[in-house]
Amino acid sequence: MGFKDFLKGYRGNLRVILESAGAKIWSFIRVIRDDQIFEGVLLPRSDLDDDQHINLKLKNGYNIGVKYSPNMRIEVLDYKPVSYRLPEKKLFFKPDKPNITLIGTGGTVASRLDYNTGAVIPAFTPSELFSAVPEIEDICNLTPKPVMSVLSENMKPEDWVKIAKEVDKEITNGSVKGIIIAHGTDTMTYTASALSFMLRNPPLPIVFVGSQRSSDRPSSDAAFNLINACIFAAESNVGEVVICMHGSSSDNYALIHRATRVRKMHSSRRDAFKSIGSIPLAKLEAGRIKILLKNYTIAGAKKYDPQISLDTKVALLYFYPGMDASVIDYFIDKKYHGIVLIGTGLGHVSELLLPSIKRAVDSKIPVLMTTQTLWGYTGLNVYETGRKLLAAGVIPCSNILPEVAYTKLMWVLTQTDDLKQIRSLINTNMVGEILDREEYNGFMILQGVENGVENILKNI
Amino acid sequence: MVKKLFDYRQLGFKAGLEIHQELNLNNKLFCKCPNILQRGEPDFIIKRFFRPVMGEMGEFDKAMLTEYEKNKTVVYEGFYQSTCTYELDETPPTQINEEAVETGLTLTLLLKGTPVDELHVCRKNYLDGSVTCGFQRTVIIGLNGAVPIENKIVPITSISIEEDAARKISEENGVIRYRLDRLGIPLIELVTAPVLEHPEEIYEAAYRIGLLLRATGKAKRGIGTIRQDINLSIEGGARVELKGVQKLEWINRLVEAEIQRQLSLIDIKNTLLERKGSPETLVFNPVNLSKIFEKTKCKLVSNSLKQGKQVLGIRLPYFKGLLGRKIQLEKSFGFEIADKVNAITGLKGIIHSDEQLSKYGFEEHEIGEVKLTLGLNSEDAFALVIGELEKANKAVKIIVERCRLAYTGVPLETRRVLEDGSSRFEREIHGGARLYPDTDTPPLKISVDQINSIQRSLPPYPWETEKIYSEKYSLPIKVVRELILEDKIDLFIEIVDRLSIDPVLVSKTLIETMKALQRENPKFKEISDDKIFEIFKTLKTGRIAKEAVEDVMRILGSDENITLDVALEKLGLREITVEELDEIIRVCVEDNLKLIKEKRERAFTPLMGEVMKKVRGRIDGRIVSEHLKRELNRIGGE
Ligand SMILES: [Zn+2]
């Protein structure tokens, strides 16, 4: 931006009278309107709000909006600019502690208030982070590296590649024990699963972390999640991409989820992230790591195999009754390289879409099928519709989660454009995205909804 | 104790009120949970910790940091019925409760204040854990109102609505338990300017504001639904906030005890200055004295040492004799320091040199060694702290800081009031930095139309209510006021008007009898209005006598689960069945066969009297007479 607006958010007549009174944001002003007098600090106003009110912080700390009136008078009584900074903190390198890099993407692990939108924006300097979460010092030497400042919902596949390259750089540098990626929670599973495919068999833990309550709140889960991510990155021998978030609504334990089997299943709860069809990879409580999934990849056991690129011309389409076949035609016409469908039940879509699907396959565009039920496998041999879809050339995705099928196809398309090979790669379990068997309780366990889940986790 | 009479004018006494009233709306302020308090075992438990954040003005609030230092675990008890994910801080707020906003506007207009044009919800940090998200959502609705009292107009600086905090259930071993049912219930908050110059003025202002709140028709009733905080100061003292005044009759006693405290603290300050002391002489330099007590006979210390705890000592220059000085009722300055240490660290207490140290089991030589090690001079005092090293260090720090503050006299504090009239440290006074905008709620414009429509339907001013009731029921104003203050006025009116029972009897029962019973049994439970109404109904039907009312109330108040029928049964006033009646009649007739033969029909009256003696109040007299007549006829027929 560079340009600093001293009357941020004020427009029209109101701006004119504020300007002529010499008022600036943070000025202590007196507003006189008829027989009423208001005194307080002039606060910025959101651009999205109207131009008819002055935001004032009264002496008692409360904020109010005072309505504009043509006969309004404003006097400036004082001006004291404020800065919103956490205290600086000196960092010391401790040779006995593992080195961890924290890659910042613009999530809410560290953030502050923004007056423009009235919302929370990230603030990400090393000193801010350390003064906010001093516990980290005892765990590791953490080096924050902000690589971008993108809100989770604005993240693009190109950004995933950029993040993967940063991570790869850290890995090849060879001086770190683990890598943490701070990421907004909305699209975290997309980025994390994309990295799983691009950076196979990493020689260290790659831990995504975020928060569901921004760090400007006293009850923020950011510090708790970050501390646990640090412990896992510094101490575990897991060589996989994982996500570390609250395990329950309490501040008692965190769960580590395999990046290819996890989903954000609640819009706002701390324990929104759930492993689907499987249990989490590990649990962290009181600084101790407890591995739950025994089949994890040990760091360094397999050869690190980075193949960092994605074919971004892939579409992810949610089928709904009444869906028009031209939706699929659109992507064919736009020369997309792949389509992932999220079908109903066992992986069905209306047979009215069949001609378009066939057209896609004929144009050498792979069409993948996943299921809206999230739990369970696609099964296209069971019903007539399924068999017709198979005949049309649809590639069923076993029980790969829809978003994971999407990132996987992007990656697979950089390896081959041969439909047969694509089909084979999609159905090869590469980084734990496919469960070869579903356990009886894998359907429901650790969803945070069943009775007694707190006790189950306490006793694991 | 001799009642102290202060010259309030000479003291430069100034006080203001902050009044919180729970609103009786169906839903909470920012979610759709019902507005109810729940009993019994909670359905679930959640555990959380808190961390400090900065205010929008770029500073940490000092009070917040004190709370953070407490480093406590907070446990929340939730109920499926009254707690949703909003109270758990797991879901953003929904639209603000419109009825609450309307009530705030009504009150603003009643107080002739200025409604705010555009409402901005703010967050007020609460790091004691009583609000799950760490801040209370609060919004100013009106400014610059006023309430008239006897001889002055008391300005009301702000009228706001906010969420009530969770109910504290317990606090032990660094774990605080809160119950979430009350969290989020809409409250109205009124703040007066600090213009009250006498406890009676505080009382009068609080009373009148209470009446106004009732006039909105939206105020909740019952103990704890209205809470007064008193801000007060005297010349040379400082602003102290007394929190949690639940009854107006406490005001006088609380104010007197606080003035005594402030005057004593000013005395201590003067003594320190006379001794030529200065805050700089107080140095945070805890000395580990555990070695001295290795063979001590003091059980408290030897047990603690065995558990790996330490004894830390600190020299307090120029404080000799001051720690033992009484500052509030029977509480000494040393006690006040210990209380603050306890409030922040949870440590049970401190030992200081103004105490009779032999009572702990210390020996002369031990104390001598302590004095030597600490390098005590003749005007110095010392304090000992026993605990785990980290906690004990923190405790010493608090002691040193509190003693430094003694040079300023009275520290700015929020204090929780206690039943005996004294108070205990709760936190440093919160500054403006505690408030910042809520980013989860949009600004809400208040239209001129809305104001006008509320203005048109404002309830009448309640100032005159006392007089009206006093005349209507021929009761002294004092009695009417007491009924209002005890929240019994509506019940009183219902009983008197609907059952036509003597107003004097009803008011006496509701006030005096109730108080007598509460004195007699400290565990006396409040009897619901419905039950009390039923008692008077049974009185009206003649089932119980006037004298029995108190007995029935005594039983009902002993256990809230007892029904009126059970109470009556306990008093031998159980209703009897027709079969039982017939049996009583049969026995009575059998015993009086001779009389019946002699007097024939005229035997009915004495027999009726005899049966009624046994069944009075337990069955309708008409049934008795009918059945007795039938039995007599039967016998006559034989
Ligand atoms: Zn709720």
Side-chain angles (χ1 to χ4, degrees):
Chain A
M1 271 186 282
F3 172 70
K4 199 165 177 217
D5 183 359
F6 287 103
L7 282 171
K8 198 170 179 182
Y10 292 98
R11 310 184 295 277
N13 290 335
L14 204 45
R15 188 179 178 98
V16 172
I17 59 165
L18 282 167
E19 235 160 28
S20 57
K24 286 187 270 192
I25 301 298
W26 310 121
S27 294
F28 185 67
I29 61 171
R30 178 182 292 148
V31 180
I32 304 157
R33 188 185 62 189
D34 305 322
D35 58 345
Q36 296 164 340
I37 297 175
F38 305 91
E39 284 182 3
V41 174
L42 179 66
L43 295 181
R45 194 165 162 85
S46 165
D47 290 333
L48 306 175
D49 288 336
D50 70 19
D51 58 357
Q52 289 297 307
H53 293 82
I54 300 177
N55 286 17
L56 271 193
K57 186 177 193 67
L58 304 176
K59 267 211 176 110
N60 61 13
Y62 281 90
N63 295 1
I64 60 168
V66 180
K67 195 167 176 11
Y68 166 77
S69 148
N71 60 0
M72 186 177 239
R73 274 196 303 126
I74 286 169
E75 295 166 11
V76 177
L77 305 175
D78 198 3
Y79 174 68
K80 233 195 326 187
V82 297
S83 65
Y84 187 105
R85 288 195 70 83
L86 290 158
E88 293 282 325
K89 187 159 178 163
K90 266 230 164 74
L91 306 174
F92 297 102
F93 179 78
K94 292 174 297 304
D96 58 323
K97 300 277 183 217
N99 299 329
I100 303 291
T101 297
L102 171 61
I103 291 179
T105 64
T108 50
V109 157
S111 57
R112 61 181 173 84
L113 291 170
D114 171 51
Y115 288 107
N116 196 29
T117 57
V120 172
I121 59 162
F124 202 81
T125 72
S127 70
E128 269 185 335
L129 196 60
F130 282 101
S131 63
V133 195
E135 292 94 329
I136 294 173
E137 274 184 281
D138 299 328
I139 303 166
C140 57
N141 295 306
L142 188 70
T143 313
K145 287 214 171 126
V147 303
M148 60 181 72
S149 187
V150 182
L151 289 174
S152 181
E153 57 272 30
N154 296 335
M155 197 79 77
K156 298 185 301 292
E158 289 79 4
D159 297 319
W160 307 341
V161 173
K162 192 174 169 196
I163 295 168
K165 283 183 176 157
E166 276 315 310
V167 173
D168 180 57
K169 219 193 288 171
E170 291 297 317
I171 293 175
T172 26
N173 250 341
S175 63
V176 294
K177 168 66 186 60
I179 293 163
I180 298 172
I181 299 159
H183 197 292
T185 53
D186 276 12
T187 62
M188 184 189 278
T189 60
Y190 288 85
T191 312
S193 66
L195 258 66
S196 295
F197 295 109
M198 289 189 278
L199 306 168
R200 277 179 303 149
N201 306 325
L204 42 70
I206 299 172
V207 188
F208 276 78
V209 70
S211 73
Q212 288 281 80
R213 289 291 90 69
S214 54
S215 51
D216 63 310
R217 300 169 192 240
S219 64
S220 170
D221 55 337
F224 178 89
N225 293 341
L226 182 59
I227 290 165
N228 281 297
C230 283
I231 294 171
F232 194 78
E235 293 170 16
S236 87
N237 68 344
V238 173
E240 294 195 27
V241 182
V242 297
I243 284 178
C244 173
M245 292 290 287
H246 257 68
S248 79
S249 188
S250 293
D251 291 332
N252 47 0
Y253 60 87
L255 289 175
I256 300 288
H257 304 274
R258 181 171 276 161
T260 49
R261 284 309 314 173
V262 62
R263 242 174 148 266
K264 183 177 181 179
M265 297 301 283
H266 194 278
S267 57
S268 54
R269 282 180 66 131
R270 288 165 175 72
D271 54 354
F273 284 76
K274 302 290 177 195
S275 283
I276 304 292
S278 159
I279 59 170
L281 197 151
K283 176 187 173 190
L284 272 89
E285 188 169 21
R288 281 204 342 272
I289 301 169
K290 167 112 189 160
I291 297 286
L292 306 178
L293 263 191
K294 308 295 178 204
N295 68 350
Y296 69 91
T297 306
I298 294 174
K302 292 184 193 164
K303 193 176 174 302
Y304 174 47
D305 184 12
Q307 303 204 27
I308 308 172
S309 63
L310 294 173
D311 182 336
T312 58
K313 289 220 100 173
V314 174
L316 178 61
L317 297 179
Y318 199 99
F319 166 75
Y320 49 90
M323 187 181 201
D324 193 327
S326 62
V327 174
I328 291 172
D329 291 329
Y330 169 85
F331 289 101
I332 302 170
D333 297 340
K334 284 279 176 187
K335 306 264 181 282
Y336 264 59
H337 302 158
I339 294 171
V340 179
L341 287 172
I342 315 178
T344 56
L346 289 163
H348 298 140
V349 295
S350 159
E351 58 181 16
L352 295 174
L353 300 187
L354 275 172
S356 295
I357 289 174
K358 213 164 171 319
R359 196 188 140 210
V361 176
D362 290 344
S363 324
K364 303 259 179 279
I365 300 172
V367 178
L368 274 52
M369 183 61 73
T370 61
T371 173
Q372 297 174 3
T373 62
L374 303 177
W375 273 277
Y377 294 79
T378 52
L380 295 184
N381 288 309
V382 182
Y383 296 106
E384 182 71 12
T385 308
R387 290 190 285 270
K388 280 183 185 162
L389 284 164
L390 279 180
V394 159
I395 303 171
C397 285
S398 184
N399 70 343
I400 304 179
L401 294 168
E403 303 82 1
V404 178
Y406 171 63
T407 60
K408 184 173 184 178
L409 183 56
M410 281 187 189
W411 180 79
V412 165
L413 285 170
T414 66
Q415 307 293 311
T416 175
D417 55 8
D418 176 63
L419 276 185
K420 220 167 145 193
Q421 279 184 42
I422 290 171
R423 178 184 294 265
S424 150
L425 281 173
I426 287 296
N427 281 293
T428 307
N429 185 12
M430 289 186 185
V431 283
E433 74 277 20
I434 299 174
L435 298 170
D436 54 7
R437 56 187 283 273
E438 183 177 69
E439 284 180 39
Y440 163 65
N441 56 9
F443 163 55
M444 54 187 161
I445 200 162
L446 301 181
Q447 294 316 306
V449 289
E450 64 272 33
N451 267 334
V453 69
E454 303 285 330
N455 283 329
I456 296 173
L457 278 155
K458 238 177 258 162
N459 299 324
I460 281 177
Chain B
M1 207 176 79
V2 186
K3 195 166 163 60
K4 270 208 204 90
L5 283 173
F6 296 112
D7 182 337
Y8 286 91
R9 183 162 303 219
Q10 208 178 352
L11 284 171
F13 179 79
K14 285 263 187 297
L17 273 167
E18 211 176 280
I19 293 182
H20 297 93
Q21 167 75 59
E22 275 182 19
L23 294 183
N24 197 15
L25 311 177
N26 288 332
N27 302 112
K28 293 189 175 179
L29 191 56
F30 284 108
C31 70
K32 297 286 182 270
C33 282
N35 181 350
I36 52 168
L37 295 185
Q38 298 201 263
R39 269 182 249 202
E41 284 296 300
D43 295 323
F44 59 89
I45 298 278
I46 298 285
K47 223 190 270 180
R48 298 266 171 82
F49 303 97
F50 286 96
R51 315 177 67 85
V53 288
M54 281 169 81
E56 71 188 293
M57 304 302 278
E59 36 191 305
F60 276 109
D61 182 358
K62 198 169 166 218
M64 268 170 49
L65 287 177
T66 311
E67 293 289 341
Y68 181 56
E69 264 177 40
K70 290 185 190 170
N71 202 15
K72 281 166 181 163
T73 306
V74 184
V75 170
Y76 296 107
E77 303 180 350
F79 292 89
Y80 294 134
Q81 192 190 352
S82 62
T83 325
C84 68
T85 46
Y86 172 70
E87 286 93 331
L88 294 174
D89 184 37
E90 291 284 30
T91 287
T94 56
Q95 177 84 37
I96 192 165
N97 186 328
E98 276 174 32
E99 220 182 335
V101 172
E102 211 154 277
T103 310
L105 289 170
T106 306
L107 200 66
T108 301
L109 297 178
L110 275 173
L111 290 163
K112 302 199 191 317
T114 311
V116 168
D117 307 323
E118 190 184 61
L119 306 185
H120 289 225
V121 178
C122 281
R123 299 175 178 176
K124 194 190 269 182
N125 272 346
Y126 272 86
L127 289 185
D128 60 357
S130 59
V131 189
T132 46
C133 56
F135 51 78
Q136 172 193 46
R137 288 194 167 88
T138 171
V139 55
I140 284 210
I141 305 277
L143 296 164
N144 306 328
V147 63
I149 59 172
E150 202 90 328
N151 50 6
K152 67 171 70 167
I153 303 277
V154 181
I156 306 288
T157 51
S158 69
I159 299 121
S160 41
I161 48 175
E162 58 190 31
E163 301 173 283
D164 204 348
R167 286 198 279 163
K168 194 174 190 170
I169 302 292
S170 67
E171 173 166 11
E172 46 192 347
N173 305 324
V175 179
I176 318 178
R177 289 184 89 85
Y178 289 101
R179 191 159 278 206
L180 293 175
D181 49 3
R182 202 183 69 185
L183 178 62
I185 287 180
L187 283 181
I188 222 156
E189 187 203 63
L190 283 114
V191 181
T192 76
V195 297
L196 305 165
E197 294 168 306
H198 194 282
E200 270 169 29
E201 290 186 6
I202 303 178
Y203 182 99
E204 191 65 25
Y207 173 68
R208 290 218 160 188
I209 292 169
L211 284 185
L212 264 185
L213 284 162
R214 289 177 61 95
T216 64
K218 296 286 158 62
K220 241 192 199 183
R221 294 171 47 196
I223 290 276
T225 56
I226 183 161
R227 304 192 290 272
Q228 283 95 5
D229 300 346
I230 304 171
N231 292 299
L232 63 87
S233 65
I234 56 171
E235 193 76 46
R239 193 163 79 91
V240 164
E241 198 178 295
L242 295 177
K243 252 190 138 51
V245 185
Q246 294 196 0
K247 288 195 165 181
L248 297 186
E249 63 205 51
W250 297 358
I251 289 175
N252 208 32
R253 171 156 70 107
L254 292 168
V255 168
E256 282 177 4
E258 178 55 27
I259 289 177
Q260 183 205 352
R261 188 178 151 270
Q262 297 210 4
L263 289 174
S264 310
L265 289 174
I266 295 169
D267 270 353
I268 288 177
K269 167 189 161 184
N270 292 336
T271 309
L272 285 168
L273 295 177
E274 274 163 29
R275 290 180 182 175
K276 307 252 183 296
S278 73
E280 291 74 39
T281 59
L282 286 151
V283 184
F284 174 64
N285 178 25
V287 181
N288 197 327
L289 302 171
S290 305
K291 266 224 152 60
I292 298 175
F293 298 101
E294 265 170 355
K295 289 182 187 129
T296 188
K297 285 183 183 141
C298 168
K299 276 265 154 54
L300 175 74
V301 172
S302 67
N303 285 342
S304 302
L305 288 175
K306 261 180 232 152
Q307 293 163 21
K309 295 179 181 166
Q310 310 284 325
V311 181
L312 298 188
I314 181 77
R315 183 171 80 101
L316 302 171
Y318 305 107
F319 274 80
K320 186 174 183 164
L322 300 182
L323 299 175
R325 240 188 230 182
K326 280 185 189 152
I327 60 167
Q328 190 174 42
L329 304 178
E330 293 306 303
K331 293 175 181 172
S332 67
F333 182 48
F335 181 90
E336 172 152 325
I337 298 174
D339 195 40
K340 185 170 182 181
V341 166
N342 175 258
I344 299 174
T345 67
L347 281 182
K348 276 275 148 36
I350 64 172
I351 295 168
H352 62 78
S353 50
D354 285 348
E355 290 180 279
Q356 198 194 335
L357 293 167
S358 56
K359 81 173 180 209
Y360 289 99
F362 291 124
E363 285 174 85
E364 283 289 322
H365 72 89
E366 289 171 338
I367 299 307
E369 225 174 306
V370 166
K371 287 184 176 170
L372 203 66
T373 315
L374 293 176
L376 234 61
N377 294 327
S378 61
E379 280 185 325
D380 298 351
F382 69 79
L384 302 180
V385 178
I386 306 155
E388 286 126 26
L389 196 57
E390 198 183 328
K391 258 193 193 171
N393 262 314
K394 203 185 241 180
V396 172
K397 204 169 188 181
I398 294 161
I399 295 171
V400 170
E401 275 164 13
R402 181 61 190 87
C403 285
R404 276 188 199 143
L405 283 176
Y407 282 91
T408 59
V410 185
L412 293 160
E413 278 173 4
T414 295
R415 303 180 63 84
R416 166 93 21 206
V417 304
L418 304 173
E419 290 257 6
D420 66 359
S422 69
S423 57
R424 72 170 303 200
F425 170 83
E426 187 160 284
R427 56 173 175 242
E428 325 276 338
I429 278 196
H430 283 304
R434 197 163 60 120
L435 278 151
Y436 51 106
D438 182 34
T439 48
D440 300 327
T441 46
L444 179 72
K445 287 185 237 319
I446 301 297
S447 70
V448 177
D449 287 350
Q450 193 179 0
I451 298 292
N452 288 340
S453 111
I454 294 172
Q455 187 81 56
R456 274 194 298 274
S457 51
L458 275 189
Y461 279 92
W463 316 135
E464 299 298 310
T465 333
E466 282 178 358
K467 266 186 223 152
I468 295 168
Y469 289 154
S470 162
E471 277 159 25
K472 180 171 171 194
Y473 299 108
S474 311
L475 289 174
I477 287 231
K478 196 175 150 281
V479 173
V480 173
R481 180 176 275 208
E482 209 155 352
L483 283 167
I484 292 171
L485 285 175
E486 293 294 322
D487 246 333
K488 294 289 177 222
I489 190 74
D490 294 341
L491 178 62
F492 167 84
I493 293 168
E494 200 180 337
I495 294 169
V496 173
D497 289 2
R498 276 180 54 191
L499 304 174
S500 347
I501 296 177
D502 174 22
V504 176
L505 172 68
V506 177
S507 68
K508 270 200 168 150
T509 309
L510 294 182
I511 303 289
E512 285 166 37
T513 311
M514 197 69 93
K515 279 193 179 156
L517 288 169
Q518 278 160 352
R519 265 196 302 275
E520 177 186 300
N521 174 11
K523 287 188 192 143
F524 194 83
K525 306 266 184 343
E526 193 156 353
I527 306 172
S528 72
D529 289 357
D530 288 349
K531 275 189 190 168
I532 293 177
F533 186 81
E534 285 304 310
I535 298 174
F536 280 100
K537 216 160 125 187
T538 37
L539 172 70
K540 186 72 188 173
T541 59
R543 219 179 128 195
I544 55 172
K546 248 196 309 194
E547 296 70 29
V549 169
E550 185 176 336
D551 298 330
V552 175
M553 284 168 64
R554 181 177 291 112
I555 293 175
L556 288 177
S558 69
D559 180 350
E560 54 207 317
N561 294 320
I562 291 184
T563 61
L564 181 58
D565 280 337
V566 173
L568 292 173
E569 191 177 333
K570 281 197 173 181
L571 291 169
L573 294 170
R574 182 177 64 85
E575 271 196 55
I576 56 167
T577 61
V578 178
E579 287 75 31
E580 285 171 303
L581 173 68
D582 286 343
E583 177 62 18
I584 291 167
I585 291 175
R586 199 184 58 75
V587 172
C588 183
V589 166
E590 216 154 78
D591 290 351
N592 291 286
L593 281 176
K594 232 173 99 191
L595 179 91
I596 296 169
K597 280 207 173 120
E598 277 169 21
K599 295 207 171 174
R600 303 264 162 165
E601 279 86 47
R602 276 174 300 129
F604 175 80
T605 313
L607 281 180
M608 182 70 187
E610 201 155 317
V611 174
M612 280 310 286
K613 233 189 266 169
K614 291 189 175 130
V615 302
R616 188 180 307 281
R618 303 167 67 193
I619 193 159
D620 195 331
R622 275 172 305 181
I623 301 176
V624 179
S625 126
E626 203 177 289
H627 281 236
L628 179 61
K629 267 182 199 154
R630 200 191 296 158
E631 179 69 7
L632 287 176
N633 284 341
R634 194 177 64 80
I635 292 191
E638 272 173 7

